[in-house]
Amino acid sequence: MCGITACIGTADSVDPLMSGLKRLEYRGYDSAGLAVKGQDGLSLTKRVGEVSELASAVEQDSLDGTFGIGHTRWATHGGVTNENAHPHTDESGNIAVVHNGIIGNFQSLRTELEANGHVFSSETDTEVVPHLIEESLRDGATPEEAFRSAVGRLSGTYALAAIIGDEDAIFATRSGSPLVLGIGDGEYFLASDVPAFIPYTDRVVYLHDGDFVVTTRDGYTISDAAGRPVDRSVETVDWDPETATKGGYEHFMYKEIHEQPGALRRTIHGRLNPLSGGVELEEFPSGTFADVRQIHLVAMGTSHHAGMYAASLLSALDIPAFPFMAGEYAVTVPPVTPGTLVIAVSQSGETADTLDAVRRARAAGAKTLALTNVVGSSITRECDDELLIRAGPEIGVAATKTFSSQVTALTLLAERIVEDVTGTASTDAAEIIDALSRLPGDVQEILDTSTSRDVAAEYQDSDAYFFIGRGVAHPVALEGALKFKEISYEHAEGFAASELKHGPLALVTPFTPVFAIFTGKEDEATLSNVKEVQARGAPVIAVTSDRDGEIAEFADHVLSIPETHPDVAGILANVQLQLVAYHAAKLLDRPIDKPRNLAKCVTVE
Ligand code: AGP
């Protein structure tokens, strides 16, 4: 989704802005641009395509300025053209604005502005903003007043940064789209996400919806819509610049797959009590969830699969739990009865559909809990409580380490909820705690020994790829297929193994390899489905810890996972499937970290 970067106070603004745009590439975009202010006034360059193409154009235009704003655009209003790329300006070319989000009432504003003589040069919703600012300046407002007045006219979601007239300042605000402030040594940065400025500073202010920021070379002020100062704490992030870059790996996705043992260690750190065999969540002391009667898990994509996984665990422990695709939550109108806990699962904490579901849940009276990777993200502010998964920054569009950490954190949460609701730990609590404590090492074993590359190579010319599983292996099958399709562009589908005979079996041929996931629970039933697909000539790749038994005997290939508790085995199986998807996409030479048409963070519904 669109990315904003801005800086002021640096010796030269072009380098930090370009490096910020490069670091925001993971969000997904189709064009990029920047505007800088120097001795010659405002200069602007924008280009369709990659940030590297913008970099060449910037060099050609000899762009030079002491402060500026930059943007990566993911088209929502108007095609992918240089004109529609940000920054947008007014007719005078003296005001420049970058925007992330959607301005809902842009059409009526545009009609009004055009009637007042404003001439638009793009099809975007954003362009109304510089024209609105210009109107106010014409009426005698100061730049800050003009910015506030323009923002006051907008409805929808936005993070905005603007350069206005002769003022040596950057004006910014947010409402429903992320924006963070970076505080360096006499240098100030604004960005959609911290990695944009991490080489320059690790001191961050997470802005809230409704905050207005004015940054100059001498400092910054934060105020509310009425202009009253607001106090926001400065936090220090512990990401070194290398953490947010590839660190020697060819792709972020591969790096992040390999970071999983470390990410999982952080997820479980201090949360397992091997002595009592119980869970210790600092955020949720024993008894917190005693009143919970049912759980809704709302999320999208990979996070939804993590929600499905958790719902399966909770239901098996007699806690009614229902996973919902957050974007469908409004339509399915689930009953929010007293004692309903809504858990919103989101890596970014900024997914529009998930935020919308949270708002609906709150309006219906549910208690809400955010399970996210991003400190200070919108979802943490919109929910009553939060549990961080601590996976570290995930840059690749394809979610990998965050799924493992989400499922792990949800497993811990499930144990706490069961204990609170029933008054006693689940029957398998001690075994699960033990399995989770071994999980980082087990994942490492897979990373060290996986034969996934050979499997990907052997089946690279197939017609389609199917993934099947039962219980927690069902969401893992869906996740395996999602990963495979999104980065390889090959047709891949996941099914509940039980569903095969009811339709999908018609698709199975000798040219459709089937990945069958075995966790140690209900394996016999899944094995009978394996025999059904084999009878139709399909090659079977079993993901299992059963290396020498009946499953291995029937499978054409085994992707082996260490023996563990069945509730945890799905996390391990998923790592094998991440690797298969990665190698398949690499063999096809796909742009793995930035698959076509996709964005890391989907901030529009
Ligand atoms: C999967 O690889 C994708 N990145 C996507 O499905 C993602 O999980 C979804 O858009 C939800 O994002 P979130 O976790 O940031 O809310």
Side-chain angles (χ1 to χ4, degrees):
M1 214 72 349
C2 302
I4 288 176
T5 177
C7 69
I8 187 161
T10 50
D12 159 55
S13 61
V14 174
D15 277 356
L17 287 173
M18 287 308 299
S19 110
L21 291 180
K22 193 88 199 122
R23 285 165 178 276
L24 290 177
E25 278 191 305
Y26 72 90
R27 296 171 69 83
Y29 69 103
D30 42 47
S31 56
L34 81 167
V36 291
K37 192 85 184 278
Q39 279 179 341
D40 303 332
L42 191 72
S43 334
L44 189 141
T45 300
K46 36 196 204 175
R47 283 292 180 283
V48 163
E50 306 239 329
V51 169
S52 53
E53 289 168 55
L54 176 71
S56 316
V58 163
E59 212 178 303
Q60 224 169 41
D61 295 353
S62 311
L63 227 61
D64 182 25
T66 54
F67 66 100
I69 55 179
H71 190 263
T72 48
R73 173 178 188 247
W74 191 75
T76 55
H77 291 70
V80 180
T81 63
N82 285 343
E83 291 72 32
N84 288 338
H86 299 213
H88 288 286
T89 58
D90 66 323
E91 294 93 334
S92 71
N94 213 14
I95 299 164
V97 173
V98 289
H99 165 222
N100 173 15
I102 288 181
I103 296 168
N105 60 337
F106 89 99
Q107 195 53 63
S108 59
L109 291 171
R110 181 169 176 147
T111 308
E112 176 191 317
L113 287 159
E114 281 175 335
N116 288 351
H118 288 266
V119 180
F120 281 71
S121 50
S122 80
E123 303 159 294
T124 63
D125 52 343
T126 307
E127 201 190 330
V128 296
V129 182
H131 290 288
L132 284 170
I133 294 173
E134 207 260 326
E135 282 249 312
S136 290
L137 288 178
R138 236 194 275 161
D139 293 344
T142 64
E144 184 174 345
E145 287 164 355
F147 182 68
R148 285 177 182 279
S149 141
V151 172
R153 301 285 317 274
L154 309 178
S155 67
T157 58
Y158 47 81
L160 291 162
I163 297 175
I164 303 175
D166 296 329
E167 200 90 343
D168 272 15
I170 296 167
F171 302 88
T173 187
R174 63 159 285 174
S175 179
S177 292
L179 193 66
V180 286
L181 172 68
I183 300 164
D185 202 4
E187 306 172 331
Y188 302 92
F189 305 86
L190 284 151
S192 301
D193 203 354
V194 175
F197 52 68
I198 203 75
Y200 297 90
T201 183
D202 57 1
R203 297 176 68 227
V204 174
V205 176
Y206 292 97
L207 298 168
H208 293 201
D209 279 351
D211 285 355
F212 280 78
V213 186
V214 183
T215 48
T216 66
R217 287 171 222 290
D218 302 323
Y220 67 90
T221 58
I222 306 177
S223 53
D224 65 13
R228 289 179 296 247
V230 290
D231 198 19
R232 298 277 175 247
S233 57
V234 181
E235 293 176 36
T236 303
V237 292
D238 60 359
W239 303 359
D240 60 82
E242 208 40 27
T243 314
T245 59
K246 283 187 210 151
Y249 287 91
E250 193 178 344
H251 296 101
F252 280 118
M253 181 187 178
Y254 203 51
K255 173 178 179 251
E256 286 154 7
I257 289 173
H258 283 80
E259 282 173 348
Q260 286 178 108
L264 288 165
R265 271 185 205 105
R266 285 194 299 275
T267 306
I268 60 177
H269 179 76
R271 291 170 168 173
L272 306 179
N273 186 339
L275 291 180
S276 67
V279 166
E280 275 175 11
L281 296 177
E282 202 189 340
E283 302 82 345
F284 305 116
S286 195
T288 308
F289 300 108
D291 296 335
V292 169
R293 293 294 164 263
Q294 66 157 344
I295 294 170
H296 294 169
L297 293 116
V298 294
M300 295 304 289
T302 295
S303 297
H304 173 55
H305 299 150
M308 287 177 71
Y309 197 121
S312 177
L313 297 180
L314 284 158
S315 302
L317 296 167
D318 290 333
I319 306 287
F322 310 96
F324 292 92
M325 231 181 249
E328 298 296 308
Y329 198 59
V331 185
T332 41
V333 198
V336 170
T337 46
T340 300
L341 171 68
V342 173
I343 303 177
V345 187
S346 174
Q347 185 284 129
S348 61
E350 303 291 347
T351 298
D353 285 320
T354 310
L355 287 169
D356 181 64
V358 166
R359 284 171 203 139
R360 287 174 192 280
R362 284 186 70 121
K367 200 171 162 53
T368 52
L369 188 161
L371 189 111
T372 185
N373 194 30
V374 180
V375 185
S377 55
S378 298
I379 213 159
T380 62
R381 287 198 293 277
E382 301 239 2
C383 285
D384 299 312
D385 294 304
E386 69 184 68
L387 185 64
L388 292 170
I389 63 168
R390 307 172 183 163
E394 187 174 73
I395 310 294
V397 165
T400 52
K401 62 176 178 175
T402 52
F403 176 83
S404 299
S405 288
Q406 282 171 339
V407 174
T408 301
L410 283 165
T411 307
L412 296 171
L413 192 58
E415 288 297 329
R416 163 51 25 93
I417 292 171
V418 170
E419 205 181 302
D420 286 355
V421 172
T422 66
T424 156
S426 76
T427 325
D428 282 3
E431 286 89 340
I432 289 172
I433 298 303
D434 178 50
L436 289 177
S437 67
R438 284 185 284 114
L439 187 59
D442 287 347
V443 170
Q444 190 62 55
E445 188 180 322
I446 294 174
L447 297 174
D448 293 343
T449 59
S450 176
T451 54
S452 49
R453 197 188 175 285
D454 300 340
V455 170
E458 175 149 2
Y459 297 109
Q460 74 166 315
D461 292 321
S462 301
D463 289 347
Y465 302 81
F466 300 131
F467 298 75
I468 60 169
R470 272 190 164 67
V472 297
H474 175 210
V476 172
L478 298 182
E479 175 60 12
L482 173 65
K483 218 81 320 176
F484 201 97
K485 74 179 86 161
E486 74 176 324
I487 60 167
S488 76
Y489 309 159
E490 294 294 300
H491 181 211
E493 292 299 331
F495 304 109
S498 59
E499 187 190 354
L500 263 188
K501 283 200 279 291
H502 302 280
L505 199 55
L507 297 171
V508 170
T509 74
F511 309 104
T512 61
V514 176
F515 291 84
I517 298 132
F518 295 89
T519 60
K521 232 184 220 172
E522 303 193 71
D523 282 0
E524 212 172 296
T526 303
L527 188 59
S528 64
N529 301 121
V530 160
K531 291 174 189 169
E532 285 155 16
V533 300
Q534 268 186 337
R536 274 85 190 167
V540 171
I541 302 100
V543 188
T544 177
S545 61
D546 176 24
R547 272 160 235 150
D548 314 306
E550 207 188 350
I551 297 172
E553 205 178 294
F554 276 93
D556 297 273
H557 288 272
V558 170
L559 289 172
S560 184
I561 58 173
E563 261 183 61
T564 189
H565 189 280
D567 289 355
V568 177
I571 306 173
L572 295 176
N574 185 59
V575 174
Q576 286 284 20
L577 299 181
Q578 292 169 351
L579 289 165
V580 172
Y582 174 81
H583 290 302
K586 191 159 183 288
L587 288 163
L588 290 163
D589 205 20
R590 303 296 191 219
I592 290 176
D593 285 329
K594 285 175 282 165
R596 69 183 176 205
N597 307 334
L598 298 181
K600 179 70 179 162
C601 179
V602 184
T603 51
V604 290
E605 284 170 25

